[in-house]
Amino acid sequence: MHNGHPTPKFSIITVTYNAEKVLEDTIQSVISQTYHCVEYIIVDGASKDGTLSIIDKYRSQIHTVISEPDKGLYDAMNKGISFATGDYLCFLNAGDCFHKDDILQQIVHTINGNELPDILYGETAIVNTERHFVHMRRLSTPERLNWKSFKQGMLVCHQAFFAKRTLVGPYDLKFRYSADFDWCIRAMKKAHSLHNTHLTIINYLEEGLTTKNHKASLKERFRIMTKHYGLFSTVIYHAWFVIRMIIHRNKI
């Protein structure tokens, strides 16, 4: 608590593998935050390029660095969770950045009262490789979020979804591309309070892992939705997705 206001600690986790082209911007966006109750954890999958020399350059401002082979993105993220000690987990991928240097401070200021919400969430801006704003994320963040909201897809970008560390389990490694979708739903099922910050939190770099493996990712999402929402409900929603897409195309 500080001046009657909570001061939660954020564990910011960046997973890297051969990310020398994009990592420095991400690190700088974390270490330049005006809010200082932060621990920064980088989990590297034993990169072969210049990633580690970039990490070394900022080593004194990074709380924990792990560099060893892993079984992929979500295995590395699970390692990050195991080292985290903060109130909230924030997964900031290499290439993604905080929207502003004082965004964590702004997020904390939106929390009313002394109780920390179980989940904090906000908006995401899509940027290009020059860091120029392209557009806001296509799926819009709901005013009130709950675990059933993701029946309509992943309405909140994973990077703009901060869950309490005590609330979450590990990512399920049987999902290779969309384990974050499942992880967020599981967190929301346990959550009692989900807090909309009404802030743009993240600048998301176009072209992530899921974008490259779009078809496999969609199949996984279907399996995850069936697991949480049941087959009938999931089929009905997917039929609506298709109809919505056709209507949208006919309007253009």
Side-chain angles (χ1 to χ4, degrees):
M1 294 285 290
H2 179 66
N3 294 336
H5 223 84
T7 49
K9 181 178 174 184
F10 294 94
S11 293
I12 299 160
I13 299 165
T14 297
V15 168
T16 61
Y17 183 68
N18 292 347
E20 65 177 358
K21 290 189 178 75
V22 294
L23 179 59
E24 194 154 19
D25 285 337
T26 304
I27 293 175
Q28 286 179 351
S29 101
V30 175
I31 64 177
S32 59
Q33 284 298 306
T34 56
Y35 186 80
H36 297 302
C37 206
V38 168
E39 68 176 357
Y40 193 26
I41 299 165
I42 297 184
V43 185
D44 178 67
S47 289
K48 312 275 190 291
D49 65 355
T51 298
L52 289 171
S53 63
I54 292 167
I55 293 170
D56 281 344
K57 185 173 159 187
Y58 297 97
R59 186 65 187 85
S60 63
Q61 289 160 286
I62 302 165
H63 191 269
T64 306
V65 176
I66 305 126
S67 182
E68 60 189 23
D70 52 52
K71 300 187 191 88
L73 175 68
Y74 297 113
D75 180 42
M77 286 158 87
N78 282 343
K79 286 182 192 176
I81 293 174
S82 71
F83 280 91
T85 63
D87 296 296
Y88 291 105
L89 300 176
C90 165
F91 290 92
L92 197 64
N93 290 347
D96 300 331
C97 294
F98 286 119
H99 186 61
K100 290 180 174 167
D101 287 348
D102 65 345
I103 198 62
L104 292 178
Q105 187 73 61
Q106 285 191 41
I107 289 169
V108 170
H109 277 218
T110 69
I111 299 170
N112 297 315
N114 306 331
E115 287 289 306
L116 292 177
D118 289 330
I119 289 166
L120 308 169
Y121 67 97
E123 305 287 348
T124 301
I126 309 296
V127 298
N128 62 20
T129 46
E130 280 80 48
R131 303 276 152 205
H132 294 147
F133 173 80
V134 181
H135 56 81
M136 292 304 285
R137 191 166 177 264
R138 184 178 59 83
L139 292 173
S140 55
T141 303
E143 179 60 35
R144 292 190 184 282
L145 186 70
N146 65 52
W147 72 273
K148 292 182 179 173
S149 304
F150 277 23
K151 277 186 183 184
Q152 297 167 56
M154 198 160 178
L155 299 186
V156 179
C157 179
H158 186 34
Q159 285 83 332
F161 180 100
F162 297 5
K164 265 192 182 168
R165 182 177 52 85
T166 51
L167 190 77
V168 301
Y171 291 87
D172 187 338
L173 299 186
K174 74 169 176 276
F175 300 120
R176 283 187 61 204
Y177 306 109
S178 295
D180 51 349
F181 187 57
D182 170 66
W183 187 85
C184 289
I185 295 170
R186 282 190 285 132
M188 288 189 286
K189 277 182 166 178
K190 288 187 191 169
H192 296 296
S193 50
L194 295 93
H195 174 66
N196 188 348
T197 63
H198 296 101
L199 296 167
T200 300
I201 297 175
I202 300 295
N203 288 349
Y204 181 90
L205 187 64
E206 289 179 303
E207 278 297 294
L209 176 76
T210 313
T211 325
K212 288 183 209 151
N213 302 286
H214 192 57
K215 215 170 188 177
S217 167
L218 288 177
K219 279 184 182 167
E220 272 193 6
R221 285 198 181 191
F222 188 88
R223 278 169 57 207
I224 290 163
M225 288 174 79
T226 302
K227 171 182 145 183
H228 291 289
Y229 305 122
L231 180 61
F232 180 73
S233 172
T234 302
V235 169
I236 294 293
Y237 265 94
H238 275 74
W240 167 236
F241 291 155
V242 172
I243 293 163
R244 197 170 58 184
M245 200 163 66
I246 293 165
I247 291 167
H248 180 68
R249 278 190 186 152
N250 289 340
K251 277 183 184 171
I252 294 169

